[in-house]
Amino acid sequence: PKADRTLPKPLTIDAAHEVIDRAETIATDDWLGARDVALFTLLWGGGLRIDEALQLDHADWPSPPVDTIVITGKGNKQRL
């Protein structure tokens, strides 16, 4: 029989902060560090999958006074 596959575990708050801090320090350029910090913050803070985050573009960002982003995920399901 196949072995049971376990679901991935989320990062703890401390581990997430460590990943974000390291992303900035190991980058070769300042803009790469800023990009990586923004990406990891979005992934962890918003609970996004990598594919969902990478498919975002400037049209997806909210305009004031709205402060939510609509994410289209697997099966074209949308969530805020």
Side-chain angles (χ1 to χ4, degrees), residues 15-43:
H17 286 285
E18 185 177 334
V19 167
I20 291 168
D21 291 341
R22 285 189 186 198
E24 189 172 20
T25 58
I26 64 173
T28 56
D29 289 325
D30 289 341
W31 72 270
L32 289 173
R35 178 205 60 189
D36 293 347
V37 166
L39 179 62
F40 287 132
T41 302
L42 185 63
L43 290 171

Side-chain angles (χ1 to χ4, degrees), residues 39-66:
L39 179 62
F40 287 132
T41 302
L42 185 63
L43 290 171
W44 182 74
L48 274 64
R49 295 178 180 94
I50 291 175
D51 186 54
E52 294 169 345
L54 295 178
Q55 288 184 12
L56 291 173
D57 62 18
H58 67 2
D60 296 320
W61 295 108
S63 299
V66 179

